[in-house]
Structures are given as C-alpha cells and as structure tokens.
Amino acid sequence: MPRVTRVSRLTGLLASVLLLTATAVACGTSDSDSDSGSSSSAAKGSSAGAFPVTIAHKFGSTTIKSEPERIVTVGLTDQDAVLALGKVPVGTTEWLGGYKGAIGPWAQDKLGSAAAPTVLKDTGTGPQVEKIAALKPDLILAAYSGLTKAQYENLSKFAPVVAQPKQYNDYGVPWQQQTEEIGQALGKADEAKALVSGVEAKFAAAEKANPAFAKATAVMATPYQGVFVYGSQDPRSRLLSDLGFALPKDLDKVIGDQFGAQISKERYDLLDQDVAVWIAPDTTTSVTKLHGDPVYGDLNVVKQGREVYIKETSDYGNAVSLSTVLSIPYVLDRLVPQLAAAVDGKTSTKVEQPAS
C-alpha cells in the first residue's frame, strides 16, 4: 500500500471533521461539565500529582479524578509528551507510519523495555472507537487532533477525554501547551513545565547564536498537489517563529482558519522570503521539479540559494512534522545549521543535508 503523505492524511482528517459538523452543531457547543466562563484550557486548581484535575478544551471541560494508568492517544503527536513524562500509552494513533508503536527514534529511550503501544488508525472517518474501548483506557488524549463534538462524546462513554484546546485551529496546539496540558492530566504539571523550559532554552540558545534569524523572514511549505503552505498556527511554522524568524505577513489571511492550504501561483510571493523551508518527498527530484516551475524558479529565494530541503519520510522529516517536546531537540540539531547557511548573506553557501 503506498505511503500517504502527512498533508493528505491531515486533509482527510479535516474532511471528516467537516462531514460531522452538522452533528456537532446539533449536539451544542458545550458539555454538561463545561466552564463557559473560562477562556483558557489550563487546568483549574491543579498542582503536581494532585487529583482531581479539570482541563478545559474545545468542547467544554474534562475532570480526571485519579492518576491515569491506561492512556490512549488519539492526538497524532500526543504520545511524545506522555513518554517524556514517564508514562507509556497503551494505545497510540498512527500518522507517520514506519515506527513500532508510533514512537520515533527521538523517543525510543523513553519507551525503554516497556511493550510498544497498540497502534490505532484514523483514515479520515474518526478514531477506531471499538478498538479504543477494548484497550480499557482511563484517559484519552486528543490535544493535537481535529476531534469533532460527536467523536468526543462517543469516546467520553469509555474514559475522560481531553480534546484539542478551543483557542487554536484543529491540529494547531503549540507544543508547549500540549506538553503542559498533558502534564496536568497525568498529575505531572511541574515536570511538564520543566520539560518545556528545557526545550525553550534550546531555542533561545540557537537564536542567540544566530542573530540573523531575528532579522529574517521564513516560510514552511511542501510540494503537495502543487504548493501547500503551513499557517502560523501549525507546529512546523512555529519551529521557525520560535527561532526568531518572522512569517509572511499575509500568511494567515491566505490560509484562513486551517493548519495550512494550497496556494495559487499568484500567491507564490509568500514563498519569496529570506528562507523557504521545504518538506519534500526527496531532496533531488523535488528540487528539480520546483525549480522547473518558471514562476517559482524566478523568485529571489531560489536565485540566491536560500532554500532548505527536508526529506519528508526521513526521521528528520518525521520529527519536523511531529514538533513535540521530544522531537524538537532532534530537529534543532539538524535544522539550525541549514537555516544559518541559508541566511548568511552569501549566495555561494550551500545548504547541506544533515549526515543522518
């Protein structure tokens, strides 16, 4: 079976969201335990290891009464935060493919000798409810997801569900908030904050070592069915902004309220930034094809050699797409040198591929 790119996968998941919109509206906009006065998805009255804890989200709020032991991650990247906090999910949801238990190499040491989680599928019709129920979860996490109201209510019959935060687009939760919310749900709020601080320190160190980043603009894109550009709320774009880069000023106006969108050739100006980062099927033929487009090939970002290419299906590409508390350090070791070469002001500087 051919591999499905993560853009088409997310597009399929978002399509399922749209198909169930009518159901979601009919069910209303809040749960019986919703906190209508809260605009934050932070836990209320929680401290490290303290239960019960209540977490607000897109569909209201969810109370977790005791420390969870059987955790299923419906959110496509939520497993990394769980592992970083010392827990191993009993079930994960496959997105990238190719990894046992849906756990990448940057997170393998956190798995240790524990059994790999059962991998669930979501082909665009929603979570596999029966298989999730069979795992007997006591917590279902869906922070990085496009869960619908109907899906949320269905899953809530089996265990408390922490859905995506309401103040961000679906699949748009920042890795910091994702980590801290999952930390709260696991009774490990302080540990989660410490993890976030540690990764933020790596961003700060990279930005300090590369002052040119703060003076430059950047965009993240993929050659999916033409050109697909990621919006400011997508974790991949946040990698750039967290390093000090400014994103194109019209980006979200073009993207709308999605994590990204195809753009027409009339808007290829969005690609003509100080650096364009491409998540591509490969780093040879994809480059040739893009440069063969007379509109894109004529942009200064191409003429001046300010492109960064990341192979989509490599461990590096997968880590970029996940953008989690565990994958980001792995990414920064590879991405920062490429970005530095792209914006050094010398057209002769080649942007090298990482050794591994």
Side-chain angles (χ1 to χ4, degrees):
M1 182 176 180
R3 178 185 176 88
V4 180
T5 66
R6 65 290 320 270
V7 170
S8 60
R9 179 69 186 278
L10 276 176
T11 302
L13 293 174
L14 287 172
S16 71
V17 172
L18 293 174
L19 287 172
L20 289 172
T21 297
T23 303
V25 171
C27 290
T29 58
S30 62
D31 293 337
S32 59
D33 62 344
S34 67
D35 177 23
S36 60
S38 173
S39 61
S40 169
S41 55
K44 299 176 289 183
S46 66
S47 60
F51 292 94
V53 60
T54 299
I55 301 176
H57 50 72
K58 184 175 182 178
F59 305 117
S61 62
T62 295
T63 297
I64 303 158
K65 296 180 180 179
S66 59
E67 182 178 357
E69 297 295 340
R70 297 186 60 81
I71 303 158
V72 170
T73 58
V74 169
L76 301 182
T77 68
D78 293 352
Q79 65 270 24
D80 276 13
V82 176
L83 289 163
L85 290 162
K87 296 275 192 178
V88 177
V90 296
T92 55
T93 299
E94 185 177 76
W95 177 25
L96 304 173
Y99 298 129
K100 186 176 182 180
I103 297 173
W106 50 85
Q108 281 294 327
D109 63 330
K110 300 297 183 182
L111 178 63
S113 60
T118 297
V119 178
L120 305 161
K121 307 280 186 179
D122 183 344
T123 59
T125 57
Q128 294 177 298
V129 176
E130 291 184 1
K131 291 186 177 181
I132 292 173
L135 291 172
K136 299 180 180 179
D138 52 17
L139 177 64
I140 299 171
L141 296 171
Y144 184 78
S145 79
L147 209 63
T148 67
K149 177 77 169 180
Q151 292 165 351
Y152 167 76
E153 291 181 336
N154 204 7
L155 289 173
S156 295
K157 297 174 184 176
F158 308 104
V161 180
V162 178
Q164 64 269 36
K166 62 183 177 182
Q167 65 267 49
Y168 299 104
N169 297 340
D170 289 348
Y171 306 104
V173 60
W175 65 269
Q176 296 97 323
Q177 182 164 337
Q178 176 190 42
T179 303
E180 292 189 5
E181 285 194 356
I182 290 174
Q184 291 160 359
L186 302 185
K188 296 175 177 285
D190 290 344
E191 293 95 324
K193 289 179 180 179
L195 286 169
V196 168
S197 294
V199 176
E200 286 183 333
K202 293 181 182 295
F203 276 109
E207 188 174 357
K208 183 178 180 180
N210 296 276
F213 290 1
K215 301 175 183 178
T217 59
V219 66
M220 186 83 72
T222 185
Y224 169 70
Q225 294 185 354
V227 170
F228 186 100
V229 176
Y230 296 102
S232 68
Q233 288 196 28
D234 186 84
R236 282 153 287 214
S237 290
R238 285 200 181 100
L239 285 171
L240 300 175
S241 55
D242 284 348
L243 284 167
F245 288 92
L247 300 176
K249 65 178 182 178
D250 289 340
L251 181 61
D252 286 342
K253 182 178 179 180
V254 174
I255 298 303
D257 61 355
Q258 303 299 317
F259 70 93
Q262 262 94 25
I263 60 172
S264 65
K265 292 190 178 187
E266 287 75 20
R267 290 316 315 254
Y268 275 16
D269 59 293
L270 293 173
L271 303 171
D272 202 15
Q273 306 301 319
D274 292 314
V275 58
V277 181
W278 289 95
I279 302 175
D282 58 65
T283 57
T284 53
T285 58
S286 293
V287 179
T288 301
K289 185 175 180 180
L290 281 166
H291 288 187
D293 184 306
V295 178
Y296 179 70
D298 195 46
L299 298 179
N300 287 329
V301 69
V302 177
K303 293 178 179 178
Q304 297 174 10
R306 294 186 270 105
E307 300 166 292
V308 168
Y309 284 90
I310 300 168
K311 185 177 180 180
E312 179 186 32
T313 56
S314 65
D315 290 340
Y316 177 24
N318 289 337
V320 169
S321 288
L322 258 75
S323 291
T324 65
V325 69
L326 289 182
S327 74
I328 286 172
Y330 181 96
V331 168
L332 294 182
D333 288 344
R334 294 156 177 78
L335 180 60
V336 170
Q338 288 184 298
L339 292 170
V343 299
D344 72 348
K346 302 174 183 178
T347 57
S348 60
T349 302
K350 184 178 180 181
V351 180
E352 302 285 355
Q353 287 298 312
S356 63

